[in-house]
Amino acid sequence: ALFMPVGGRLESAVGPRLCAYAAVFCLSLGTYLSSLSSSVATLAAAQFLYGVGIGLGYIAPLTCGYKHLPSRKGLVSGVIVGGFGAGS
């Protein structure tokens, strides 16, 4: 939730595709570094990076959905949140 505003600004600056790529990079790197961690501090740092990826990746589909269906923002939010929750 801390990096959702950053994701929104990044998405409006570079577009949803590059924002999603940045999110996937952070998520993948966080997962990989978690597998290599040998202490609690490195695990916490890797999970922080994973959280950054979650914050960046959550906003891109929301803004795209809002742009395509501006009169159905509630439906768009519900479908995206439901898909996001089902996938995690």
Side-chain angles (χ1 to χ4, degrees), residues 25-54:
F25 178 75
C26 289
L27 287 167
S28 300
L29 188 61
T31 302
Y32 179 69
L33 291 177
S34 292
S35 70
L36 297 177
S37 66
S38 58
S39 68
V40 175
T42 57
L43 181 63
Q47 290 305 304
F48 178 78
L49 188 60
Y50 187 84
V52 169
I54 291 286

